[in-house]
Amino acid sequence: MHQKPVHVGPQVCWQEHPVWCRDQQELFQNEVEDDDGDSGTAYFNPDMAGTQLQRAERIGDASLPDTFQTNELLYYERFKAYQDYMLGDCKTSEVKAFTADYLEKVLEPCDWQAQWCTDVFDVLVEVVDVNYKELKAHVKLVVPLQCETRGCELTEEAMNTLLEATLHKVPLQELRVVFDESGDFDQTALALEHLRFFYKHIWRQWDDEDEDDDFDYFVRCVEPRLRLFYDILEDRVPAGLVAEYYSLLARCSQKFQEFSSLRNGISSDSESELDNVSMVEGLRMYEQMEALKRKLRIIENPLLRYVLGYKVNSGQQSCRAKGPRASGGRMVHVVSVSTTVSQLQSLMADKLGPKFSGEEFEVQFHSEPLLAVSACYEGDVVIILPGQYNVTSSISIPDSISVEGFGLPDEVVIEKKNKGDSFVESTGVDVKISNVKFIQHDAIEGILCVRQGKLEMENCVLQCETTGVIVRTSAHLTMNMCDLYGSKGAGVEIYPGSVCSMMGNGIHHCKEGILIKDFADELDTMPKITMVNNVIHNNEGYGVILVKPMIPTSMGLLFLEGGVSFTGKFIGKEEIKGEGKLRVDVDAPVIVVDECSVKEPVSYASCSVVLPEFTEGNDAIKRELVATSAKKQRRQKSRLKELGVTQADDNLLSQEMFVSIQDNQFRRNGMGSFGTFLY
């Protein structure tokens, strides 16, 4: 049985500039457990006279009165309002009924003033009645007319005519309660804010037709969408992913409108040829809409958002490649805040004299690395003298240049403290970075992202805070003798179609060591990976984890059988641990502990770890990548055959996923050397 929530009153916080972050989640969870159902009144002190809400001063026409300030609520305030008072554990089909019941308990039924706000005008009205089921209010115009228009003229007579045409009913979410110091309308103002926010940012037109109506709507839809909204608000989602999400929303909304129009035009008892064609077209639209909805769910789910990422080039490049100088010369950019005579002598003797004494080279001096890189043309060299350099924005490298520290990495330090999509972005055809230490603080996407072209890194230190190195589709990374640590995600993320060579690196104290992504699209090409003599240790999860889609059966379910001890996790479902047969919902991602992965078919009962961890880890990675590559090739060939391509590019299809994986050491990784994440 679904029980409607008992209303006490929505919670609100009176901070002027609320800031929410994930670090508050644990505190919030503890708070929810300790509130004993009365958290809704935590900020309403009965001993305090008057309103406890702030005033939103009117900007513009002073003839309209001020309203309540309600749109700066914290994440957990909206979370608790929807979970505890407005929606409870309702199903999708019950959302409107639960919402109406909530509003009936908190809204003042009549005799309060509000601004009726539309895209064209704001006008002062008085509410005389509320229809909770229709989510509308019966209003009358306050005379004399008080309004503000945008691009049109509005008279009292015209407004009364408009109200008569709408039977004096207006949507509740278009009303903003006029500020009142008595406190009598605080809960009315907050309830309308929660309603307005819900239908603007949470509810989707297609939710009504959700096939999973037996599941809790709040857990399945409201919580992930609300979290994503605040992650975007606090700049915790890359700009490219934000743009892709809103583009997907717009496309899905348009497709839903087209599908609904087509469906409404088909007669249920007709067998005409035109209706049959329309039904086929409707099925095609439905499949397209479901694909868009799946992509939206991936972005909305916090874990899948991190694990699967997104396939487009996020964000706009801050600058384009300049190419070679018109004069044909090359520049050596020397970076130093201050330097001594002895340092200059060493620089001349060890670097400038032997390598850049030709007539084509000129020398420029800069005070910070960002200025030097921005001034580069193709073929230029940036030499950074020892020192601590702070940068305030991303370093974009669009041209083929070389950046090298003159000294040990710990002596040449570049630190970025403010927010941004990434620290260093490389798009040049052939870029080299060496002998530099990068320190990341609060970046969104990663400490270094190779979006396209080739980047060679050598003898660098990468002190991460958010995410490590990202190798995008078609990009090429060579990473030798580097030390990477501290990432809250993966130390290195490898996308389909990329080329990644790592030799002699240390990757440690990250959430995961190396994450290899294999998207569901059959046409995604496999990355080519070389891993030799790397030490991957002390990571919280796996040393290496492979992300790939589950292959659904005709029943839509995946069954694993045998005597294997299986440990995994359903996202948003429940923890599972046991033996024997396991039923897994295809839409629920699950982590498979696969330390002894072999080619299909898999005999789990025969798996045993008999070799040292680092040796076994190399073999496990090889076996799993070979099996995955074989599956991918079969799907590619099948897909090409469906498209009518009879002469496939055998060279392309026969490319192995890896070039060489050997002599890597895996030590003290929390969940083992290798694992597979199925989604």
Side-chain angles (χ1 to χ4, degrees):
M1 289 290 293
H2 293 273
Q3 297 181 352
K4 294 187 177 182
V6 178
H7 170 74
V8 181
Q11 186 184 52
V12 71
C13 178
W14 318 127
Q15 298 180 15
E16 186 171 352
H17 300 288
V19 176
W20 175 84
C21 67
R22 289 192 183 93
D23 295 336
Q24 293 174 309
Q25 184 178 1
E26 183 177 351
L27 175 63
F28 163 59
Q29 289 174 341
N30 294 335
E31 188 178 287
V32 172
E33 294 171 358
D34 298 336
D35 277 342
D36 293 328
D38 197 34
S39 60
T41 59
Y43 288 92
F44 287 100
N45 189 340
D47 297 331
M48 293 180 63
T51 181
Q52 297 177 42
L53 291 174
Q54 292 182 350
R55 178 194 297 264
E57 295 184 0
R58 181 80 185 178
I59 300 176
D61 193 339
S63 64
L64 285 170
D66 296 336
T67 57
F68 287 100
Q69 176 65 269
T70 57
N71 61 354
E72 293 186 349
L73 301 181
L74 299 175
Y75 163 82
Y76 73 87
E77 294 170 308
R78 297 192 192 276
F79 181 101
K80 295 190 72 173
Y82 294 134
Q83 183 185 53
D84 296 348
Y85 313 119
M86 183 169 165
L87 300 175
D89 61 350
C90 72
K91 299 183 292 186
T92 306
S93 60
E94 300 171 326
V95 166
K96 291 184 178 179
F98 272 56
T99 301
D101 184 73
Y102 161 73
L103 294 175
E104 188 174 1
K105 289 182 171 66
V106 295
L107 284 187
E108 291 293 332
C110 59
D111 300 330
W112 47 279
Q113 291 188 345
Q115 289 182 21
W116 178 20
C117 300
T118 69
D119 295 334
V120 180
F121 59 79
D122 297 345
V123 64
L124 186 64
V125 296
E126 181 178 342
V127 175
V128 297
D129 192 17
V130 177
N131 188 321
Y132 302 102
K133 291 184 178 180
E134 294 183 3
L135 302 181
K136 290 186 176 181
H138 188 278
V139 302
K140 66 178 181 179
L141 191 65
V142 174
V143 293
L145 177 68
Q146 300 179 49
C147 71
E148 179 179 332
T149 60
R150 289 173 282 278
C152 68
E153 295 293 331
L154 193 63
T155 64
E156 184 175 320
E157 181 181 358
M159 179 53 66
N160 278 320
T161 302
L162 177 61
L163 285 173
E164 288 175 3
T166 62
L167 302 177
H168 289 263
K169 293 180 179 180
V170 301
L172 284 171
Q173 52 263 48
E174 294 182 2
L175 296 179
R176 298 183 182 274
V177 182
V178 170
F179 184 78
D180 186 288
E181 295 183 348
S182 68
D184 295 339
F185 302 105
D186 284 13
Q187 293 196 30
T188 296
L190 284 170
L192 292 183
E193 169 62 27
H194 292 311
L195 179 70
R196 183 163 44 245
F197 184 92
F198 176 77
Y199 279 102
K200 183 177 182 180
H201 299 292
I202 306 297
W203 180 258
R204 309 285 184 248
Q205 303 173 60
W206 48 86
D207 283 353
D208 259 338
E209 303 182 2
D210 199 328
E211 296 178 355
D212 295 328
D213 193 45
D214 291 335
F215 294 100
D216 188 325
Y217 179 74
F218 176 85
V219 173
R220 192 164 44 84
C221 296
V222 178
E223 183 178 4
R225 292 172 185 173
L226 183 63
R227 185 181 298 279
L228 176 62
F229 175 86
Y230 275 87
D231 281 353
I232 293 174
L233 185 67
E234 292 297 325
D235 294 328
R236 299 180 183 279
V237 182
L241 185 54
V242 175
E244 183 180 6
Y245 179 70
Y246 287 123
S247 173
L248 286 170
L249 266 181
R251 288 163 56 195
C252 198
S253 297
Q254 180 182 2
K255 190 63 63 177
F256 179 78
Q257 295 291 345
E258 295 174 358
F259 174 73
S260 299
S261 299
L262 181 65
R263 181 178 55 186
N264 294 336
I266 298 177
S267 175
S268 59
D269 56 354
S270 173
E271 296 183 359
S272 68
E273 182 178 348
L274 182 61
D275 278 347
N276 289 337
V277 172
S278 297
M279 290 180 66
V280 173
E281 178 66 14
L283 288 174
R284 186 183 65 83
M285 285 187 181
Y286 179 80
E287 290 177 355
Q288 292 173 345
M289 192 169 62
E290 288 300 307
L292 292 172
K293 287 162 63 175
R294 174 177 170 79
K295 292 179 180 179
L296 288 171
R297 287 195 296 269
I298 287 175
I299 299 176
E300 289 166 353
N301 185 297
L303 180 59
L304 294 183
R305 185 158 70 240
Y306 154 68
V307 171
L308 298 182
Y310 57 108
K311 298 163 63 176
V312 300
N313 275 351
S314 66
Q316 298 294 324
Q317 296 179 18
S318 58
C319 57
R320 295 184 178 181
K322 299 176 183 177
R325 277 185 173 78
S327 62
R330 296 169 63 190
M331 190 73 67
V332 178
H333 303 267
V334 179
V335 181
S336 178
V337 176
S338 63
T339 186
T340 64
V341 174
S342 62
Q343 281 182 326
L344 284 177
Q345 289 175 337
S346 298
L347 179 64
M348 287 295 298
D350 299 339
K351 185 67 65 174
L352 296 181
K355 294 186 177 181
F356 307 108
S357 58
E359 293 183 358
E360 74 272 20
F361 288 102
E362 296 182 11
V363 178
Q364 274 188 359
F365 289 86
H366 304 270
S367 59
E368 59 181 60
L370 188 58
L371 293 176
V373 173
S374 299
C376 282
Y377 285 76
E378 184 177 321
D380 284 1
V381 176
V382 178
I383 300 175
I384 307 175
L385 297 185
Q388 177 89 20
Y389 301 91
N390 295 322
V391 297
T392 57
S393 59
S394 297
I395 300 176
S396 296
I397 308 178
D399 287 284
S400 298
I401 66 171
S402 175
V403 180
E404 54 184 290
F406 185 64
L408 299 174
D410 285 335
E411 298 174 338
V412 183
V413 179
I414 303 177
E415 185 171 2
K416 182 172 182 288
K417 295 184 178 179
N418 61 322
K419 292 182 180 180
D421 278 5
S422 61
F423 190 163
V424 180
E425 297 184 359
S426 177
T427 56
V429 175
D430 190 3
V431 179
K432 296 181 180 179
I433 302 177
S434 59
N435 303 328
V436 180
K437 180 176 183 178
F438 296 95
I439 301 178
Q440 172 199 46
H441 294 285
D442 207 21
I444 300 172
E445 186 176 355
I447 194 167
L448 188 148
C449 181
V450 191
R451 298 202 181 281
Q452 60 189 46
K454 179 180 178 181
L455 172 65
E456 181 180 342
M457 295 192 70
E458 186 171 342
N459 197 33
C460 290
V461 176
L462 303 168
Q463 180 178 317
C464 311
E465 184 177 275
T466 307
T467 306
V469 175
I470 300 171
V471 192
R472 291 284 180 196
T473 299
S474 300
H476 188 160
L477 171 69
T478 299
M479 184 174 168
N480 298 332
M481 305 303 294
C482 294
D483 189 35
L484 186 153
Y485 57 92
S487 172
K488 293 180 182 176
V492 180
E493 291 185 12
I494 303 174
Y495 275 68
S498 63
V499 178
C500 188
S501 174
M502 294 177 287
M503 301 181 68
N505 302 288
I507 301 173
H508 55 99
H509 294 92
C510 301
K511 175 69 174 179
E512 310 284 352
I514 298 173
L515 189 148
I516 304 170
K517 300 187 177 184
D518 171 27
F519 291 102
D521 192 339
E522 298 89 346
L523 300 181
D524 282 331
T525 58
M526 306 302 289
K528 297 185 69 175
I529 301 170
T530 300
M531 289 174 54
V532 179
N533 290 326
N534 300 285
V535 182
I536 304 172
H537 64 97
N538 290 100
N539 295 290
E540 183 180 337
Y542 294 99
V544 176
I545 185 168
L546 174 66
V547 178
K548 61 181 182 179
M550 281 189 288
I551 307 301
T553 67
S554 59
M555 298 296 292
L557 300 173
L558 174 70
F559 291 91
L560 300 179
E561 300 188 33
V564 60
S565 178
F566 183 91
T567 305
K569 183 178 182 181
F570 287 106
I571 308 307
K573 304 289 185 180
E574 60 182 345
E575 295 288 336
I576 52 171
K577 187 173 183 180
E579 298 184 356
K581 182 181 292 186
L582 174 67
R583 181 180 185 274
V584 181
D585 190 330
V586 161
D587 289 333
V590 58
I591 295 177
V592 178
V593 180
D594 195 7
E595 291 285 351
C596 305
S597 178
V598 294
K599 292 183 179 180
E600 295 182 320
V602 178
S603 176
Y604 291 96
S606 64
C607 287
S608 61
V609 179
V610 296
L611 299 174
E613 185 185 0
F614 68 88
T615 303
E616 187 278 329
N618 287 279
D619 293 340
I621 297 170
K622 289 179 184 178
R623 287 192 294 266
E624 183 63 29
L625 297 188
V626 167
T628 301
S629 182
K631 292 179 187 176
K632 179 69 73 173
Q633 289 178 20
R634 289 196 296 270
R635 293 201 299 269
Q636 286 176 328
K637 290 179 179 179
S638 175
R639 178 64 172 168
L640 291 172
K641 186 176 180 180
E642 291 175 2
L643 295 174
V645 180
T646 57
Q647 294 181 348
D649 186 346
D650 291 333
N651 290 330
L652 175 64
L653 295 178
S654 64
Q655 287 183 0
E656 291 184 339
M657 186 173 184
F658 61 89
V659 178
S660 177
I661 297 179
Q662 61 185 5
D663 298 330
N664 301 286
Q665 299 186 37
F666 299 88
R667 303 179 186 277
R668 297 183 296 278
N669 294 294
M671 299 181 70
S673 59
F674 181 72
T676 305
F677 184 99
L678 301 177
Y679 66 93

